[in-house]
Amino acid sequence: MRFGAAYYPEHWPVERWELDARMMREAGFNTVRMAEFAWTRLEPSQGEFDFDWLDEVVGLLGSNGVRTLMCTPTAAPPGWVVKDSPEMLPFFEDGRMVNFGGRRHYCPTQPRFRDHVERIVGAMGRHYAEDPDVIAWQIDNEFGCHQDYCYCESCQLAFQVWLQSQYESLDELNSAWGTDFWSEVFTSWDEIPAPRFTSTAHNPSLQLAWRRFYTDVWTNFYTFQADILRESGVTVPITTNLMGLYPGIDYYTHAEALDFVTWDNYPVSFPVPADNYTSALNCDLMRSVKDGAPYWVVEQQSGAPGWQSIFGRTGPGYIRLMTYLTVAHGGEGVLYFRWRSCRFGVEQYWHGILQHDGRPNWRYQEVAQVGKEFAALPADLFSARTPAQVALLFSHDQQWAHQIQPHVNGFSYLGEQLPAYQALRDAGVDVDLVNEESDLSKYRILIAPVWELIPSDMAEQVIEFVRQGGTLALTFRSAVKDWDNVIFEEPLPGPLRELLGITVDDYDAIGSQNITAGLQFSGKLPVTGNPGGTLWADVITSEGAEVAATFTDGWYVGRPAITVNHFGIGQAWYIGTHLEGEFWTPFVNYLLAQQHLPASLQRSAGVDIAHRQGERLYTFVLNMKPEAGWIEIPEMCTDLLTGERLMPGRTMLEPYGVRILA
Ligand code: GAL
């Protein structure tokens, strides 16, 4: 288990370092992350390096048992680098250039910038390759943060070259994208634009291709640096810090290049109940993009967040709770952001563990408590895997297609994922996130809200999944388009029609007038209350599927709204409208029972349950509420945090309390 904080020794007098190292040791720290913004300190002028100060602090911390996650400092290029190579400055899509003065003011495809990167990364790599206190490397910092993509000439050219690797010919591209629309047929590769500002919008196929291209750009920039480190003799694992649900990069693809996943976890607006779900969803995604391998959080929120003004709150109990949420969903490392709040610069109000004054405070005590607890927990708990049998399809390609054309006012990809995910969390089941390339065979249930792009070859796996006994649940706007973002010519839902046993003949975008469409349930599902559909209503004909609900409003009154088709030995559900928890909670419970998945512990509202399977099954119980809660213990077990033996029956949870049962 790695435990510690992001540390910026360059912000504090040398005389302070020793006290920091001692306080860290006393808090149970064994790791810090350093140097991701220290380029000017490390290379004050071209080719003149100064590692003395960093050597001193790495050594001092090392002698206190605190090892270093070393960063390449390329996220904040110095002024002299910009002065030397002004063409490295990136452009927004509207033509605005990003100036020196903040950070991340570089274009990752610019060759002259890459020369500078090669020099500093190579020098750092050679300098620290043999240092036993450097246990891993982080490349750069949060690719895409502040600006997803650069739209300069160099990027446009790289896009044109990339497209030539994706399509056999220009004719094939023209036909796949439908460039005949508005006379956009390309007669030469160099006519293809980066999707810069234009009178209306770029072709949706081009927009989607651009986002896929830029995932490869960031991955290429990562690999460029990782290769330099390797050539310099670095043998320890290398990573870069991801941003959870950040939508700019396909993290499944990107993570293939990383030795392990690290990411930054800011559940900032706590306490807001919905945010607890979002935090867990972030964690589940970050675990899932690397096939369930444990991750490190390298920026875990500690103090209140804010730059110019503070926009979130923390309070006693919160840091510990969210740290355990991070571990419960797959973490094997937690580094807080940051060790000490900085007195100067843009992030003066982004609070760390210590206040600006550097004295031990309540946050320090809380973190030290966690350090003590971690040291006493069994080591295999932190490397244990999440035993999920339920998967949620969460795909960046789908998210991008929905971002490019969000169907109707009020629609968002996350807005369609969250009701299903919340119901699963409330049911206490572990959820893996998957995309179109994931192996589905280990799951019993796949929920795939608004699975819009699904070409025939991808449909095959999901058809087989159901045939073999899996339960699939799709919602409206599923199987509408091919992988190039072009609508199927065949009736909807395209290649999944037979599997679902329905045809979607038409649809009514009811969200455009804020209409709610009433539903009549057949009695098959245990839905009580009277949930109505919003945003969208599909006009469905059943072709063999059983009808579980019909519309009671609109010109399609009496037509199916929710269907289930029995296919092979599995079931394929289709939900033709947007529904919230009133539907999703009973629906998910019904699906779990149908698949004979074990019911979760009974508990008070707002208690999150997650499991990790190591030498034993570890059950994490997290009370997300500031009031006391409870769980029903089914059989005698131990709370690993307190050592208490817990008898069957009701056990209380403190406000924001945590128990780990085994
Ligand atoms: C992260 C970033 C950190 C710091 C933090 C708080 O996005 O990686 O460097 O800026 O936010 O603002």
Side-chain angles (χ1 to χ4, degrees), residues 426-428 599-603 609 611 619 621 631-634 661:
D426 288 344
S600 144
L601 305 181
Q602 284 189 32
R603 59 204 197 273
I609 305 260
H611 305 91
T619 302
V621 178
I631 40 164
E632 289 290 335
I633 303 283
L661 311 180

Side-chain angles (χ1 to χ4, degrees), residues 273-296:
D275 192 62
N276 302 325
Y277 295 110
T278 316
S279 288
L281 183 61
N282 270 287
C283 295
D284 285 344
L285 178 65
M286 294 291 89
R287 183 188 73 246
S288 299
V289 294
K290 196 86 179 154
D291 276 337
Y295 52 70
W296 299 10

Side-chain angles (χ1 to χ4, degrees), residues 37 103 141-142 145 241 264 266 299 307 337 347 350:
F37 300 119
R103 61 177 173 181
N141 188 71
E142 294 187 340
C145 172
N241 51 342
D264 300 342
Y266 290 104
E299 294 184 22
W307 285 6
F337 190 85
E347 295 192 5
W350 200 289

Side-chain angles (χ1 to χ4, degrees), residues 389-651:
Q389 299 193 70
V390 177
L392 180 73
L393 191 115
F394 185 96
S395 148
H396 299 87
D397 289 283
Q398 309 297 332
Q399 184 165 30
W400 293 334
H402 292 300
Q403 267 176 355
I404 293 164
Q405 291 171 301
H407 310 285
V408 64
N409 291 344
F411 176 96
S412 75
Y413 188 56
L414 266 187
E416 297 309 311
Q417 299 279 339
L418 272 173
Y421 181 76
Q422 288 173 351
L424 289 165
R425 288 246 56 71
D426 288 344
V429 293
D430 302 300
V431 185
D432 277 350
L433 272 50
V434 295
N435 78 351
E436 299 79 5
E437 285 172 23
S438 309
D439 174 14
L440 299 179
S441 61
K442 60 180 168 182
Y443 303 107
R444 312 286 309 143
I445 298 176
L446 171 64
I447 299 184
V450 293
W451 191 0
E452 187 177 21
L453 313 172
I454 178 156
S456 319
D457 51 345
M458 277 179 193
E460 276 159 31
Q461 199 199 170
V462 76
I463 292 170
E464 205 41 39
F465 170 76
V466 179
R467 197 195 305 279
Q468 301 295 335
T471 297
L472 171 73
L474 297 173
T475 69
F476 67 103
R477 303 320 278 155
S478 286
V480 172
K481 293 184 172 192
D482 67 19
W483 203 240
D484 281 302
N485 211 5
V486 168
I487 296 176
F488 290 124
E489 190 169 0
E490 60 195 300
L492 301 182
L496 298 186
R497 251 172 99 203
E498 195 196 329
L499 172 68
L500 292 160
I502 57 167
T503 299
V504 175
D505 300 306
D506 203 345
Y507 36 78
D508 186 6
I510 50 181
S512 61
Q513 292 177 11
N514 282 327
I515 290 169
T516 299
L519 297 179
Q520 168 86 50
F521 283 84
S522 69
K524 183 177 180 71
L525 293 174
V527 176
T528 52
N530 196 11
T534 55
L535 292 179
W536 196 266
D538 274 327
V539 180
I540 298 171
T541 302
S542 166
E543 274 151 21
E546 188 182 338
V547 177
T550 50
F551 285 111
T552 56
D553 288 315
W555 56 268
Y556 33 87
V557 63
R559 302 273 298 257
I562 300 174
T563 58
V564 55
N565 199 32
H566 303 274
F567 185 91
I569 50 170
Q571 300 186 353
W573 288 83
Y574 187 86
I575 297 131
T577 186
H578 171 90
L579 287 155
E580 291 282 337
E582 252 187 318
F583 164 75
W584 278 101
T585 298
F587 178 58
V588 155
N589 288 329
Y590 174 85
L591 298 187
L592 294 169
Q594 288 274 305
Q595 282 285 1
H596 308 293
L597 294 179
S600 144
L601 305 181
Q602 284 189 32
R603 59 204 197 273
S604 53
V607 174
D608 193 62
I609 305 260
H611 305 91
R612 295 183 75 169
Q613 180 68 59
E615 283 159 22
R616 287 172 285 173
L617 180 70
Y618 300 106
T619 302
F620 290 76
V621 178
L622 302 122
N623 180 17
M624 298 295 184
K625 298 228 164 189
E627 308 96 47
W630 53 266
I631 40 164
E632 289 290 335
I633 303 283
E635 55 192 46
M636 197 163 73
C637 60
T638 304
D639 178 352
L640 298 181
L641 287 171
T642 59
E644 264 174 283
R645 287 300 276 167
L646 300 175
M647 295 301 151
R650 184 164 291 200
T651 280

